[in-house]
């Protein structure tokens, strides 16, 4: 880059003066321009306000005259109804006297003919009487509206040949019907004078048009004789295109006229248009004159500044050159260490002589200060060395403290964590350091547990003295930093300060470590609880991203092990839709509406149906929703129980209905008066009734037993019972109808007199139930039951085996469930409620025993009862 050539001092001064002068002139010109622009803006705003004021005055002027006409219409109504024309004329005269703005006034009848004129004789000397004005537009409008009408501009007649604007009000009779009207003609010449007194300015003028754009006031129109319509005027067209209730402005130029600035408004009630026009050249005249003045003043000022600066710079430059020569001579002598004589004065202004005097003083001070600076620099170097040594020591201490910043999330326990800290600071600490913390003592080599502070100090601190700094957690000392001082070792103030910092830092790290361990344990407990839940749970954030899902939930919705990753709610939606018998519409309604649960059905490969209930809930923290939770619960058991209960209700109603029907039939038969029954037949019917009552009683007993088992209130009265007698008595209790053509054989493989503690009645109830089931569910031609009594270790066992139909594998684990029945159809054929085996299991559990079953379909089943034996049994 080419270096710019330096200008001389004279040129710099000339350019500076010239720049300052021109900048000042231009600044003043710009300031004046903005002032004049603001003045023009103020003039425009003033014109806008005048237009607004004029519009209000015209509206007020017409409204005032309108109120006079409307008031007088009510006042002369009685006169008109009475035909008192004199009174009417007096009323019109009063209006004319008080309101000279009216040219004339008259009252007409309802047919549009004049009745009374005032003044009756106008300037033409013609008397107005009974003129027909029914063709006037204002009369027609009056008939249509029955309200006051303000007409457009029109030519008067009947001697009044000037342009007029009429205010017409209807006159009503006592029945509210129009009986005539009163009209007041506004003198437009008076209105023009009224308007002209309210505007100012040499070139400004005002224009007023009626609702049909006819001229009411215009400086170029003689409104006394000429009726001019300005609808085709460019100004009127622009005003109509920008219609509104507020005062607006526009700049426009009509043919044959110069460009004008116009502010206009429309009277809201009359629909008249008023505007004030001002030539644009008149508005901008001050600005143009100011611009011309500035343009010729700039070169004149520039010439004057150049001449003045030439004179001043020549004189000043000569003095400065003398001063520069003196400085050059001193510089040359300073380099060669040769003395030089400096003049005490130089030719030029007094200020230059003063400057030379100050320069001499400065030279003396420079010499003195140079010597002082050399001495000061020597002392400063010594202080820097001392400060450097101190910083190196502090840096070493900082490195030692920094070694404590180890990851608290490591798997080390507290003792090894402390030992790691001691090993990290070993290179920077010149002492033997021990740490005792909560019955735990740690050195670089050893870890001691269950050590009290006093015990540890006596046994393991070997130095001649020791220093201790507390390790404070939560405001209380929880341990100590122990410095084992050997012979001749001492701790200075700086070292003690470092040890205090070290102990505080160690306390913070230990606090963090303990908090982390507590958090990790709590987190592990929470994970264990969530993973061990018998329900599935999934948590999603507000972006519907999966944050957590437990094993149960994954096993349910990914039971077929598809391996498809679940990251978003949409993945869960798609997987549920594919796996369960549920439509996309139902799932959408569940997730998007206020539906909190959804029942799901899953068809297994074996043909079974599993049922799940999906619940939805909001996850809230500090009253803010932070996510969405899903909980899935296996309700297959509940669904099975509901199904079983429904079957039970049906079966139980059947079981109750049959004996009740039999009892009712037998009783009705015995109560017949028209037949005398034989005693043997009556006895037979009563025996049947007795059997049916026992059947009902048996059903009720089953219900009571299952209720006691469910509530845990099953009462067992234990006594020493002889096992073989219980079995033999139970065989006898089996109904004869079931034992017919069946073999029940008892095999006693235990001691002949084997006793055990049990409730004899309840044991018989269990055995009779097993015998009855074995006979009912047996389609063999030769039914057989084998009862085997044995003693197996600490249990007495009774095995009941049959050659019946057996039980399939899928039903084998469910037969002890309450209300469960293997074959509903077979049950209806043979009777029963499905509670028998459940009651048997409850009785065995009450005896602290158990019942087991083995079965092969088509071959038979074996039920084994286990009764615990007490000592001495």
């Amino acid at each position: 880059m080419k270096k710019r050539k330096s200008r001389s001092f004279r040129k710099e001064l000339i350019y500076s003066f010239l720049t300052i002068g021109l900048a000042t002139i231009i600044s003043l010109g710009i300031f004046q321009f903005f002032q004049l622009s603001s003045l023009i803006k103020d003039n425009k705003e003033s014109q806008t306000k005048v237009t607004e004021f004029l519009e209000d005055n015209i509206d007020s002027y017409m409204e005032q005259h309108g109120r006079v006409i409307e008031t007088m219409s009510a006042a002369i109504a009685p006169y008109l109804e009475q035909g008192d024309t004199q009174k009417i004329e007096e009323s019109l005269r009063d209006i004319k006297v008080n309101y000279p703005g009216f040219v004339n006034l008259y009252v007409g009848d309802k047919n549009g003919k004049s009745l009374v004129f005032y003044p009756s004789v106008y300037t033409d000397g013609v008397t107005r009487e009974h003129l027909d004005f029914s063709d006037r537009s204002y009369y027609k409008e009056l008939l249509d509206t029955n309200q006051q009408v303000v007409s457009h501009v029109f030519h008067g007649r009947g001697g009044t040949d000037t342009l007029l604007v009429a205010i017409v009000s209807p006159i009503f009779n006592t029945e509210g019907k129009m009986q005539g009207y009163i009209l007041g003609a506004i003198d437009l010449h008076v209105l023009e004078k009224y308007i002209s007194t309210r505007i100012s300015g040499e070139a400004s003028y005002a224009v007023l048009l009626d609702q049909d754009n006819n001229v009411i006031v215009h400086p170029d129109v003689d409104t006394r004789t000429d009726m001019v319509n300005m609808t085709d005027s460019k100004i009127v067209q622009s005003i109509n295109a920008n219609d509104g209730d507020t005062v607006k402005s526009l700049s426009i130029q009509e043919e044959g006229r110069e460009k004008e600035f116009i502010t206009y408004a429309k009277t809201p009630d009359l629909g008249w248009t008023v505007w004030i026009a001002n030539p644009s050249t008149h508005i901008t005249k001050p600005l143009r004159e100011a611009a011309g003045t500035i343009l010729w003043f700039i070169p004149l000022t520039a010439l004057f500044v150049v001449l003045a600066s030439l004179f001043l710079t020549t004189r000043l430059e000569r003095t400065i050159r003398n001063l520069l020569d003196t400085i050059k001579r001193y510089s040359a002598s300073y380099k060669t260490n040769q003395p030089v004589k400096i003049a005490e004065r130089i030719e030029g202004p007094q200020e230059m002589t003063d400057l030379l005097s100050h320069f001499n003083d400065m030279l003396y001070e420079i010499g003195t200060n140079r010597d002082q600076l050399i001495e000061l620099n020597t002392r400063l170097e010594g202080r820097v060395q001392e400060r450097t040594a101190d910083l190196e020591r502090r840096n070493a201490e900082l490195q030692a403290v920094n070694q404590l910043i180890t990851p608290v999330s490591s798997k080390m326990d507290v003792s090894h964590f402390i030992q790691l800290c001691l090993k990290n600071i070993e290179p920077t600490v010149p002492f033997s350091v021990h740490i005792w913390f909560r019955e735990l003592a740690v050195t670089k080599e050893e870890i001691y547990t269950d050590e009290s502070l006093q015990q540890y100090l006596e046994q393991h601190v070997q130095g001649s003295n020791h220093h201790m700094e507390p390790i404070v957690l939560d405001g209380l000392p929880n341990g100590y930093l122990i410095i084992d001082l050997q012979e001749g070792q001492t701790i200075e103030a700086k070292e003690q300060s470092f040890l205090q910092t070290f102990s505080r830092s160690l306390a913070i790290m230990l606090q963090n470590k303990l908090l982390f361990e507590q958090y990790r344990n709590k987190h592990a407990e929470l994970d264990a609880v969530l993973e061990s839940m018998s329900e599935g749970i999934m948590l999603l954030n507000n972006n519907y991203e999966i944050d957590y899902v437990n094993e149960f939930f994954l096993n349910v919705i990914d039971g077929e092990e598809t391996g498809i990753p679940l990251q978003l709610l949409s993945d869960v939606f798609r997987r549920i839709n594919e796996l369960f018998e549920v439509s996309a519409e139902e799932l959408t309604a569940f997730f998007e509406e206020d539906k909190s649960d959804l029942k799901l059905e899953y068809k297994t490969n074996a043909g079974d149906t599993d049922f799940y209930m999906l619940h939805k809930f909001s996850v809230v923290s500090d009253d803010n929703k932070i996510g969405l939770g899903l909980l899935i619960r296996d309700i297959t058991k509940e669904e099975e129980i509901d199904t079983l209960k429904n079957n039970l209700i049906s079966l139980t109603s059947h079981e109750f209905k049959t004996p009740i029907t039999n009892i009712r039939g037998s009783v009705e038969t015995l109560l017949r008066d028209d037949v005398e029954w034989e005693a043997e037949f009556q006895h037979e019917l009563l025996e049947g009734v007795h059997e049916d009552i026992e059947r009902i009683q048996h059903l009720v007993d089953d219900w009571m037993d299952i209720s006691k088992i469910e509530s845990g209130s099953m009462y067992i009265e234990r006594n020493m019972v002889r096992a073989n007698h219980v079995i033999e008595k139970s065989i006898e209790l089996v109904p004869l109808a079931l034992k017919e053509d069946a073999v029940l054989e008892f095999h006693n493989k235990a001691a002949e007199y084997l006793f055990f503690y049990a409730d004899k009645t309840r044991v018989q109830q269990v055995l009779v139930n097993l015998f009855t089931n074995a006979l009912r569910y047996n389609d063999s031609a030769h039914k057989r039951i084998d009862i085997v009594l044995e003693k197996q270790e600490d249990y007495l066992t009774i095995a009941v085996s049959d050659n019946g139909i057996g039980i399939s594998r899928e039903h084998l684990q469910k037969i002890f469930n309450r209300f469960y029945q293997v074959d509903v159809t077979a049950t209806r054929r043979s009777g029963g409620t499905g509670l028998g085996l459940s009651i048997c299991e409850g009785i065995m559990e009450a005896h602290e025993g158990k019942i087991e079953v083995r079965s092969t379909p088509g071959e038979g089943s074996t039920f084994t009862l286990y009764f615990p034996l007490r000592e001495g049994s």
Side-chain angles (χ1 to χ4, degrees):
M1 182 177 177
K2 187 177 180 180
K3 186 176 180 181
R4 187 174 65 89
K5 185 178 179 180
S6 298
R7 288 194 294 262
S8 65
F9 181 70
R10 173 183 292 181
K11 289 183 179 180
E12 286 290 344
L13 287 177
I14 292 174
Y15 290 154
S16 299
F17 287 144
L18 187 59
T19 301
I20 293 171
L22 292 178
T24 303
I25 294 171
I26 294 173
S27 299
L28 291 174
I30 293 173
F31 176 72
Q32 187 174 9
F33 174 80
F34 280 109
Q35 276 192 323
L36 293 174
S37 298
S38 176
L39 179 60
I40 292 172
K41 182 179 178 183
D42 292 341
N43 289 337
K44 289 182 178 181
E45 290 178 355
S46 176
Q47 183 175 327
T48 300
K49 292 179 180 179
V50 170
T51 304
E52 183 178 1
F53 172 74
L54 185 58
E55 182 264 334
D56 289 339
N57 274 268
I58 292 172
D59 193 48
S60 175
Y61 181 88
M62 293 302 295
E63 182 182 1
Q64 182 183 20
H65 286 73
R67 283 199 301 268
V68 170
I69 295 298
E70 187 173 6
T71 303
M72 188 55 66
S73 68
I76 64 178
Y79 305 148
L80 182 60
E81 195 168 0
Q82 297 168 7
D84 190 348
T85 58
Q86 184 177 357
K87 289 289 186 180
I88 295 174
E89 186 175 357
E90 291 176 357
S91 299
L92 296 180
R93 184 177 62 249
D94 292 339
I95 297 175
K96 175 63 176 171
V97 171
N98 293 306
Y99 295 91
F102 288 112
V103 177
N104 55 40
L105 303 102
Y106 78 86
V107 174
D109 61 14
K110 63 181 180 181
N111 296 319
K113 293 182 179 180
S114 63
L115 297 176
V116 179
F117 258 98
Y118 188 85
S120 58
V121 177
Y122 197 53
T123 56
D124 55 0
V126 178
T127 301
R128 300 170 187 78
E129 290 181 350
H130 307 294
L131 298 179
D132 187 359
F133 295 103
S134 60
D135 60 335
R136 290 294 194 184
S137 60
Y138 60 76
Y139 173 74
K140 295 176 182 179
E141 185 177 353
L142 184 67
L143 292 178
D144 291 338
T145 61
N146 279 337
Q147 295 179 356
Q148 188 179 82
V149 174
V150 178
S151 73
H152 56 73
V153 177
F154 63 92
H155 277 289
R157 68 185 180 198
T160 308
D161 57 355
T162 61
L163 295 179
L164 303 173
V165 172
I167 302 175
V168 189
S169 289
I171 302 174
F172 299 100
N173 58 20
T174 55
E175 297 177 355
K177 296 182 179 179
M178 191 179 88
Q179 59 177 339
Y181 63 93
I182 178 173
L183 180 144
I186 299 295
D187 189 343
L188 300 187
H189 186 62
V190 174
L191 181 59
E192 182 178 4
K193 290 182 178 180
Y194 178 82
I195 291 174
S196 63
T197 60
R198 283 160 175 77
I199 62 173
S200 61
E202 298 177 1
S204 300
Y205 66 90
V207 176
L208 178 63
L209 306 180
D210 67 4
Q211 58 268 39
D212 294 333
N213 297 323
N214 296 315
V215 173
I216 299 175
V217 176
H218 196 292
D220 299 334
V221 177
D222 186 359
T223 54
R224 288 176 294 183
T225 57
D226 298 335
M227 182 171 178
V228 178
N229 186 278
M230 296 188 68
T231 302
D232 297 332
S233 170
K234 186 185 291 186
I235 296 175
V236 174
Q237 292 175 353
S238 298
I239 290 174
N240 291 335
N242 298 281
D243 198 8
D245 296 334
T246 58
V247 177
K248 295 185 178 180
S249 63
L250 58 88
S251 294
I252 194 167
Q253 182 176 10
E254 286 196 296
E255 187 176 354
R257 300 180 68 91
E258 63 178 318
K259 190 174 182 181
E260 295 176 316
F261 175 74
I262 294 174
T263 54
Y264 63 91
K266 284 195 173 185
T267 57
D269 296 329
L270 300 175
W272 292 3
T273 304
V274 59
W275 77 71
I276 297 177
N278 206 356
S280 297
T281 55
H282 181 73
I283 295 175
T284 59
K285 181 180 178 181
L287 186 62
R288 288 184 283 108
E289 292 177 350
T293 301
I294 293 172
L295 289 176
W296 69 259
F297 190 68
I298 287 176
L300 185 63
T301 303
L303 179 61
F304 174 76
V305 169
V306 169
L307 294 176
S309 61
L310 284 173
F311 172 75
L312 294 175
T313 53
T314 301
R315 187 167 181 269
L316 185 60
E317 183 184 21
R318 185 170 55 252
T319 304
I320 292 175
R321 285 193 179 277
N322 292 334
L323 180 61
L324 288 175
D325 291 341
T326 301
I327 294 173
K328 287 179 180 179
R329 285 188 288 112
Y330 176 79
S331 298
S333 66
Y334 185 81
K335 293 178 181 178
T336 59
N337 290 325
Q338 295 295 325
V340 62
K341 184 177 180 181
I342 305 295
E344 294 182 359
R345 292 184 58 85
I346 58 176
E347 184 181 355
Q350 179 63 38
E351 287 79 3
M352 289 299 173
T353 302
D354 294 340
L355 181 62
L356 180 62
S357 175
H358 286 298
F359 181 70
N360 290 333
D361 294 340
M362 183 182 66
L363 293 179
Y364 175 77
E365 290 180 4
I366 289 175
T368 305
N369 292 338
R370 183 175 59 179
D371 296 338
Q372 293 177 351
L373 184 61
I374 293 173
E375 181 183 357
L376 182 62
N377 185 56
T378 303
R379 289 162 54 190
L380 183 60
E381 286 180 355
R383 290 185 180 181
V384 168
Q385 291 177 355
E386 293 178 3
R387 185 62 177 168
T388 301
D390 185 62
L391 289 176
E392 288 177 351
R393 180 182 58 79
R394 289 184 177 273
N395 184 56
E397 293 176 353
L398 183 61
Q399 289 180 354
V401 174
N402 190 52
Q403 295 294 329
L404 292 178
I405 306 176
T406 56
V408 298
S409 59
S410 62
K411 295 182 180 180
M412 291 186 296
D413 57 16
V414 174
S415 59
H416 288 88
F417 176 78
I418 295 174
Q419 192 172 58
L420 177 63
C421 293
L422 289 176
K423 290 179 179 179
N424 288 336
I425 67 168
E426 181 181 5
T428 57
V429 179
F431 305 109
S432 175
V433 181
H434 306 246
I435 293 177
W436 181 87
F437 182 76
R438 294 182 178 179
E439 308 297 327
L440 186 70
V442 181
T443 66
K444 298 188 299 291
E445 297 83 12
E446 300 291 338
I447 296 175
Y448 304 93
T449 58
D450 298 327
E451 291 272 353
S452 67
L453 177 61
Q454 187 64 35
Q455 179 183 357
Y456 182 76
L457 291 174
E458 292 175 354
Q459 295 180 2
H460 301 284
V461 178
Q462 305 297 329
S464 59
N465 197 2
H466 61 269
H467 178 82
M468 297 172 58
E469 292 291 342
I471 301 174
V472 180
L473 275 66
D474 296 327
L476 297 173
N478 282 248
Y480 291 92
L481 178 69
I482 304 170
I483 308 301
D484 191 2
L485 298 174
Q486 302 301 319
E487 187 71 28
Q489 284 186 321
T490 58
I491 298 178
E492 298 179 359
K494 294 181 178 180
E495 293 171 337
Q496 183 175 356
S497 175
F498 164 70
L499 292 175
Q500 291 173 351
T501 303
F502 182 79
S503 66
R504 287 194 294 268
S505 302
L506 182 61
I508 294 172
M509 294 300 298
L510 289 174
Q511 179 77 51
N512 292 341
K513 177 66 176 176
L514 294 174
L515 289 175
F516 175 78
E517 292 294 331
Q518 184 180 3
Y519 166 78
R520 183 164 61 182
N521 293 337
K522 291 292 184 182
H523 190 270
E525 292 175 4
L526 180 60
D527 278 347
V529 170
L530 292 176
E531 291 298 331
S532 62
M533 286 176 62
S534 59
E535 292 88 9
I537 188 167
M538 174 180 286
L539 300 178
L540 304 99
N541 57 30
N542 285 330
N543 295 324
Y544 297 106
E545 298 170 340
I546 298 174
D547 285 342
Y548 175 80
V549 58
N550 68 354
E551 191 70 22
F552 186 94
F553 201 107
L554 285 175
N555 291 338
V556 171
I557 66 172
D558 198 23
E560 299 177 2
E561 298 182 356
T562 59
I564 300 175
L566 298 176
Q567 297 177 344
L568 302 173
L569 179 62
S570 56
D571 300 331
V572 180
F573 183 102
R574 183 172 58 257
R575 187 66 186 125
I576 293 176
N577 189 30
E578 294 172 353
L579 189 65
F580 296 97
E581 300 290 330
V582 61
S583 65
E585 290 76 14
E586 291 178 295
L587 274 177
T588 301
F590 170 73
F591 283 111
E592 295 183 357
E593 299 177 5
D594 294 335
K595 190 176 181 182
S596 59
D597 49 53
L598 178 65
K599 186 177 179 181
L600 304 173
E601 296 184 16
Y602 171 66
K603 299 291 185 181
T604 64
N605 295 330
D608 295 332
T609 302
D610 291 339
F611 297 92
Y612 295 91
M613 185 63 73
L614 182 64
H615 300 274
K616 178 182 66 177
F617 60 91
S618 297
V619 182
V620 179
S621 176
D622 296 331
D623 296 331
N624 294 321
K625 181 180 178 182
I626 62 173
L628 176 70
L630 297 177
L631 186 141
I632 193 166
R633 185 165 56 89
D634 188 349
I635 60 170
T636 305
K637 295 288 185 183
E638 299 173 15
E639 289 292 321
E640 290 176 353
I641 290 174
D642 286 342
T643 302
L644 293 175
K645 283 184 177 180
N646 293 334
N647 292 336
L648 172 66
I649 292 171
S650 175
L651 293 171
T652 305
S653 63
H654 172 75
E655 291 295 325
F656 274 104
K657 185 176 181 180
T658 300
I660 290 173
T661 301
N662 293 339
I663 292 171
R664 181 176 181 178
S666 298
V667 172
E668 288 177 349
T669 300
L670 292 174
L671 292 175
R672 289 180 61 180
D673 296 331
D674 57 336
V675 180
E676 186 175 348
W677 305 108
E678 295 180 359
E680 184 178 351
F681 179 72
Q682 293 179 4
H683 185 268
E684 182 180 349
L685 289 177
L686 291 174
E687 282 186 344
V689 170
H690 185 266
E691 290 178 358
D692 289 329
I693 291 174
E694 284 187 344
R695 185 176 179 184
I696 293 174
Q697 182 64 44
H698 179 69
L699 290 174
V700 173
D701 290 342
D702 283 352
W703 278 102
M704 293 298 292
D705 287 343
I706 199 67
S707 176
K708 291 177 182 178
I709 291 171
E710 287 182 347
S711 64
S713 61
M714 169 69 76
Y715 177 69
I716 299 296
E717 186 178 355
R718 296 189 184 184
N719 293 297
M720 289 297 295
V721 180
R722 187 170 172 180
N724 58 336
H725 283 180
V726 173
I727 296 172
E728 291 169 355
K729 181 61 178 177
S730 299
I731 294 173
E732 294 175 2
L733 293 175
V734 178
L736 294 175
L738 290 176
K739 289 192 293 185
E740 188 177 0
D741 299 329
V743 176
L744 281 79
E745 188 170 343
F746 172 44
H747 307 280
N748 189 354
K749 295 184 179 181
E752 185 175 356
Y753 302 108
L754 181 60
F755 291 86
F756 67 103
Y757 281 98
D759 187 326
K760 179 179 179 181
T761 303
R762 292 297 185 181
V763 175
Q764 289 177 352
Q765 181 181 349
V766 172
L767 291 173
V768 169
N769 188 283
L770 295 178
F771 298 158
T772 302
N773 287 345
L775 295 172
R776 281 180 178 172
Y777 299 99
N778 195 324
D779 295 335
S780 177
H782 303 287
K783 299 178 182 179
R784 179 180 179 85
I785 298 177
D786 291 300
I787 302 101
V788 179
L789 174 64
E790 290 184 293
K791 181 179 180 182
Q792 297 181 5
E793 297 179 355
D794 295 333
Y795 288 94
L796 179 146
T797 64
I798 303 174
V800 179
S801 303
D802 62 64
N803 60 343
I805 61 175
I807 305 171
S808 61
R809 186 173 181 179
E810 62 268 19
H811 295 296
L812 203 59
Q813 300 300 323
K814 302 178 182 179
I815 58 174
F816 293 106
N817 293 345
R818 296 168 179 82
F819 318 117
Y820 187 81
Q821 294 174 335
V822 175
D823 187 348
V824 176
T825 303
T827 304
R828 289 190 179 277
R829 180 190 66 189
S830 59
T833 61
L835 295 174
L837 289 178
S838 180
I839 293 172
C840 291
E841 185 180 43
I843 293 173
M844 292 305 297
E845 290 176 353
H847 281 85
E848 300 177 3
K850 59 183 177 178
I851 180 171
E852 294 180 350
V853 60
R854 299 189 310 276
S855 182
T856 303
E859 295 183 6
S861 304
T862 298
F863 287 84
T864 305
L865 307 177
Y866 291 84
F867 293 95
L869 292 173
R870 296 186 178 181
E871 294 183 5
S873 296

